[in-house]
Amino acid sequence: MAEKPEKQVEELIVPVAGMTCAACVSSIEKALRGLPGVKEANVSLAGGKAAVKLDPEACTLPDIERAIEDVGYEVPWSRLQLLVPGMTDGEGEENVTAALKALPGVVAVQATSATDTVSVEFSEALVSGATIKKTVRGLGYEVSEKGEGEDALDRERNLRQSEIRRQLLNMAFAWPLGALVMLGTFSEFWVFKDIVPSFMGEKLFLFALTTPIVVGPGRQFFVKSWNGLRRGVTDMNLLYATGIGAAYLIAVINTFWPGAGFGGEKATFYEAAALLTAFIVLGRYLEAVTRGRTSEAIRKLMKLQPKRARVVRDGKEIDIPADEVEAGDVCLVRPGESIPVDGLVVDGYSAVDEAMVTGESLPVEKRAGDEVIGGTMNKTGAFRFRATRIGAETALSQIIKLVEEAQMSKAPIQALADKVAGHFILAVHALALAVFLFWFFIGFDLWFTENTRLVLTPYTLEELEVFGLALLISVTVLVISCPCAVGLATPSAMMAGTGKGAEFGILFKGADAMEATAKVKVVVLDKTGTLTKGEPSVTDVVAVEGPSDDVLRLAAAAEVNSEHPLGEAIVRGAAAKHRCPGRGQLPGRAGPGCGGPARRHDGSLGQPQAHGGARRRSGRAAPGSGAPGGRRQDGDVRGRGRAPVGPRGRRRHAEGDLGPRRARA
């Protein structure tokens, strides 16, 4: 009997917006795991993403989007606006829409022939913008981007910035009014009775100030908690809404109906409702800022990916978006440009800065047959290369994917925090109710008298009555029990750590590996670029005769247009001593012995000698060259971790193989 083939399982990373606490993570994970075909689901609060392992035949992207939206959150898919001239009404729109919807990863398509535009929402994990444009071109239409596309990270950043602006506005509204409410509450006590007008202590005045705070900045908590309850989901918003709502509602009742039996006219906790709202809004603002900082590392890595590429097709050089480069295309890279994709050099010569991938601090020479890495910087010469790996297959894309996967993984300590937070909300409400009942029936008579005064409040227990005291303590339990710090601290630390490590070339395969570093006893480091700066610099200038500053100035004059790392080091050293000349008309090409004209002390001009050093007419060898005519004075430089460079440019006892290099002066 033949075995059934195993079902294909895909791993998909979906962006999620609107999460605020660990309870949100638990709600989304529960919703996703309940979908048919979903094998595993992990949500990162700090990263704002959900990693889902699923059977693509049983579960689709719209299913995932609906599940996330049903529990009150948003999926910010990548968006692409295309200009497609020539579409006809009806048939043209239907053809384009049908072709794009057939692509895996396309969530929604809207084609409008009246404006010749096509709007596409898609998952970057499954389909690229280049594939979408290529599909439309395959139907016979010309395609161009209408402005810049908006990827998931851009949308996430825009949503986060919108959240930051909204909470800043809420704080600007809540804090001044909350401060006035607090002053009014204490207007009859301590020094405030001499400086605060008496009308500010009136209950109607406090009601008029607190109501805009609760229905304005505080409205978000009531709306989100209600939306969650309608879907059977509880989160921190329910704790906030219950605490603020209870304090405000009892204050309103005791203001207009003091004999209703809820603590009397003194049990009006307007200041509690106002300042609770202000502090929680401040917390929301800080959370949004924190999540933004943790995602910047991924954004910096993605900025390394070039936007444009110059390819040779049909014998012509054309400039195209980098994501449209196809395997086998021949690309041309000029000095100062980034390499668009991975490939093999066809012809040309240059030095490429690969520090961002390999950590090598000095540029690496590239000739025909050598491999180049997308995102690295071409320094000196021009060359052509054939694209071998494109899109998600490039080395930089793989690094970004590795960092994302590490940020999505959960450390063991974080799994414990999420497990607690998932069952926390209802438990806190039950605890608050138990606290209320205890103080109402037992605690008040057991420990207090009617003349007992609460510390840092204007209230006595006689004024609050038993109900007011029990309500105040139960609301306190609701508010201080929020586990946002527990749920946010660990993933934020993991996000920041993996991202900062990636900036310096340190990659973690997962959060468990990062947590294990706490047990590391010995660390082995590569010195160059890790313990050192990773770039050459001038430490000593040894002159046989004459001032050393003149030697440095002359060397800098010859190297001022150089892009070689040793030449740049000499120029930087001269500039630090204010001995650097301006840029002259020296050759800009790379290669040994290019040189340049120099003016001698007698005013005459000398010409550069091909492959020659700075030989003097007297026949003596140049200083430091090691020839009999010169005296070696670099012995004190050796043995101190420094690499002597003579006039003929040979770097002796240096770290790394730079190869021979001759001076240009």
Side-chain angles (χ1 to χ4, degrees), residues 103-358:
L103 294 175
V106 173
V107 180
V109 180
Q110 183 177 359
T112 306
S113 59
T115 56
D116 290 332
T117 57
V118 177
S119 177
V120 187
E121 290 190 359
F122 62 99
S123 168
E124 289 183 316
L126 296 178
V127 66
S128 66
T131 302
I132 292 173
K133 288 182 279 189
K134 186 177 179 181
T135 301
V136 178
R137 289 193 184 100
L139 299 176
Y141 298 101
E142 291 294 328
V143 181
S144 60
E145 286 193 32
K146 192 176 182 181
E148 292 188 1
E150 186 180 36
D151 59 23
L153 272 178
D154 289 333
R155 291 202 64 194
E156 181 270 335
R157 179 181 59 183
N158 292 337
L159 288 171
R160 187 180 68 251
Q161 290 176 344
S162 176
E163 172 74 5
I164 291 174
R165 288 193 296 268
R166 181 165 59 251
Q167 300 304 349
L168 276 174
L169 182 62
N170 287 335
M171 284 195 297
F173 186 81
W175 276 102
L177 291 181
L180 292 177
V181 171
M182 196 68 178
L183 287 174
T185 302
F186 284 85
S187 61
E188 298 179 1
F189 301 90
W190 200 35
V191 298
F192 296 107
K193 60 184 178 182
D194 298 327
I195 59 176
V196 177
S198 59
F199 74 88
M200 291 183 63
E202 296 293 332
K203 303 305 178 186
L204 290 178
F205 181 79
L206 297 178
F207 167 77
L209 291 180
T210 306
T211 301
I213 299 176
V214 174
V215 300
R219 180 178 179 271
Q220 57 184 311
F221 310 126
F222 295 95
V223 172
K224 291 180 179 179
S225 61
W226 171 246
N227 291 336
L229 288 174
R230 287 194 299 117
R231 299 178 176 94
V233 176
T234 58
D235 58 12
M236 293 303 125
N237 292 297
L238 184 59
L239 285 179
Y240 302 150
T242 305
I244 295 170
Y248 177 74
L249 184 61
I250 296 302
V252 171
I253 292 175
N254 289 333
T255 297
F256 295 98
W257 303 281
F262 291 99
E265 62 178 354
K266 292 294 184 179
T268 51
F269 308 120
Y270 286 117
E271 81 287 354
L275 291 183
L276 276 178
T277 303
F279 274 109
I280 295 171
V281 167
L282 173 62
R284 284 289 171 85
Y285 167 76
L286 295 176
E287 287 175 10
V289 172
T290 300
R291 287 197 298 272
R293 289 173 179 170
T294 56
S295 63
E296 283 304 311
I298 289 287
R299 194 178 308 281
K300 288 179 180 178
L301 286 174
M302 297 192 72
K303 284 182 179 179
L304 295 175
Q305 295 176 315
K307 298 296 184 183
R308 310 291 297 181
R310 188 179 296 105
V311 301
V312 180
R313 291 179 179 173
D314 300 327
K316 298 180 180 179
E317 293 182 13
I318 58 174
D319 191 65
I320 63 174
D323 60 0
E324 295 185 18
V325 176
E326 300 179 358
D329 278 345
V330 175
C331 303
L332 175 63
V333 184
R334 294 170 180 166
E337 294 180 344
S338 294
I339 298 172
V341 295
D342 296 358
L344 292 174
V345 177
V346 176
D347 56 55
Y349 168 84
S350 183
V352 177
D353 183 0
E354 296 182 343
M356 70 96 181
V357 174
T358 65

Side-chain angles (χ1 to χ4, degrees), residues 87 92-101 109 111 118 136 139 141:
M87 281 192 303
E93 294 177 358
E94 291 178 2
N95 291 340
V96 172
T97 302
L100 292 180
K101 283 189 174 181
V109 180
V118 177
V136 178
L139 299 176
Y141 298 101

Side-chain angles (χ1 to χ4, degrees), residues 539-540 634-643:
T539 60
D540 301 89
D634 59 4
D636 61 330
V637 176
R638 298 184 179 184
R640 291 190 287 161
R642 302 173 184 176

